[in-house]
Amino acid sequence: GAVVSQHPSWVICKSGTSVKIECRSLDFQATTMFWYRQFPKQSLMLMATSNEGSKATYEQGVEKDKFLINHASLTLSTLTVTSAHPEDSSFYICSASVTTGGFHSPLHFGNGTRLTVT
Amino acid sequence: DAKTTQPTSMDCAEGRAANLPCNHSTISGNEYVYWYRQIHSQGPQYIIHGLKNNETNEMASLIITEDRKSSTLILPHATLRDTAVYYCIVRAYTGANSKLTFGKGITLSVRP
C-alpha cells in the first residue's frame, strides 16, 4: 500500500531556531499533501494544503510566514517551523493520497514528527 | 463537510466484536463516510470508507443505515492492539485536494 514517510520522528530544538520536517511519498507521486498539527489530548487540526509547484494554502489562523511549506517535487513536501517557540511544541503529521487514472485513494498519513521546543 | 457525532469512549473484551457508532444526520448525497484510527503517538491509519452500501475489508466492516444518517464500524474480533482513537469523518469525494476534518473521535479500550 501507499507509504508516507516523515523525518525526523522527533526533534528537540531551542527557542528561536528553525526546524525542517520532511514528508515523502515513498511509492507514489502526490500533487497534494496536507499538514496537520496535534496538541496533547486533542484531535488533528489541518494547518495547510501543500501543492506541488505552487504556493501552499493555509487554514485560518495559521501563520504562513512562521510555517513555511515547500512542495518542490511530486514526492516531497517540507514544513519549516521558523523561530520556534515552546508553544509550537506539538505533533506534526503529513498526509497524501494516491492518484491513478483519475482515481483518488483515501488519504494516507505519515507517522508524525514530535517537536519539542525548549 | 457534514458533522459527525461519536460517543467519547467505549470498551470491549478482547476477542469480542467492537461496534463503534457514528451519527451523521446532515450528510449530503455526495459525501462518503470514512473511518480512521490513531494509535497513541502515531499517524492516523485508514480503515474503511463507504457511500451507501455496507463495506468489508480485512480490517473491519462498515454498516451504513439506509437513510445514511448513521453508521457503525465493526471490528469483528478485537485485540489489545485495536486500542486507539477511532475517527468517523464525512467527506465529499472531490479528488486529491479533498481534505479530512477530524473531530474528537471515540476512544476504544480493549480489555484482556
Side-chain angles (χ1 to χ4, degrees):
Chain A
V3 177
V4 176
S5 175
Q6 277 186 246
H7 178 81
S9 299
W10 58 270
V11 58
I12 301 172
C13 71
K14 292 187 175 182
S15 186
T17 62
S18 295
V19 174
K20 180 184 285 188
I21 302 169
E22 293 185 348
C23 177
R24 294 182 184 274
S25 55
L26 294 188
D27 50 359
F28 66 100
Q29 295 182 330
T31 56
T32 302
M33 292 184 176
F34 300 93
W35 286 96
Y36 291 81
R37 177 170 56 181
Q38 185 176 33
F39 292 107
K41 299 188 185 300
Q42 295 187 23
S43 188
L44 285 79
M45 295 296 295
L46 180 66
M47 298 177 65
T49 302
S50 171
N51 301 296
E52 187 268 336
S54 64
K55 291 183 178 180
T57 303
Y58 291 82
E59 296 298 303
Q60 190 173 6
V62 178
E63 301 175 57
K64 62 180 182 180
D65 294 330
K66 181 170 182 60
F67 299 99
L68 301 180
I69 292 174
N70 184 279
H71 195 156
S73 78
L74 288 173
T75 59
L76 174 64
S77 175
T78 60
L79 169 68
T80 301
V81 183
T82 63
S83 186
H85 292 284
E87 57 265 31
D88 298 323
S89 298
S90 189
F91 192 48
Y92 292 86
I93 312 167
C94 69
S95 68
S97 68
V98 184
T99 301
T100 306
F103 169 75
H104 306 288
S105 77
L107 282 177
H108 296 276
F109 287 80
N111 262 335
T113 298
R114 177 78 56 192
L115 170 63
T116 301
V117 184
T118 61
Chain B
D1 293 331
K3 185 178 178 179
T4 63
T5 304
Q6 299 177 256
T8 302
S9 63
M10 67 176 291
D11 63 23
C12 75
E14 188 176 20
R16 303 297 295 268
N19 298 309
L20 285 68
C22 180
N23 286 321
H24 30 78
S25 59
T26 60
I27 191 169
S28 301
N30 67 336
E31 291 181 316
Y32 286 69
V33 180
Y34 284 79
W35 283 84
Y36 282 77
R37 73 179 181 183
Q38 186 178 25
I39 297 170
H40 183 63
S41 294
Q42 296 183 22
Q45 178 188 23
Y46 165 77
I47 301 173
I48 199 167
H49 75 283
L51 182 62
K52 55 184 178 181
N53 297 321
N54 297 337
E55 302 287 343
T56 296
N57 62 22
E58 65 277 6
M59 290 183 67
S61 294
L62 174 61
I63 309 298
I64 303 174
T65 58
E66 192 169 343
D67 63 7
R68 303 212 316 128
K69 293 185 177 182
S70 65
S71 60
T72 301
L73 179 73
I74 300 173
L75 307 178
H77 305 286
T79 70
L80 298 179
R81 288 177 292 181
D82 292 322
T83 292
V85 179
Y86 287 76
Y87 297 97
C88 169
I89 303 168
V90 168
R91 172 198 190 202
Y93 198 68
T94 56
N97 287 341
S98 185
K99 59 191 178 186
L100 285 175
T101 301
F102 286 80
K104 295 182 179 180
I106 178 173
T107 299
L108 173 67
S109 300
V110 180
R111 60 180 188 275

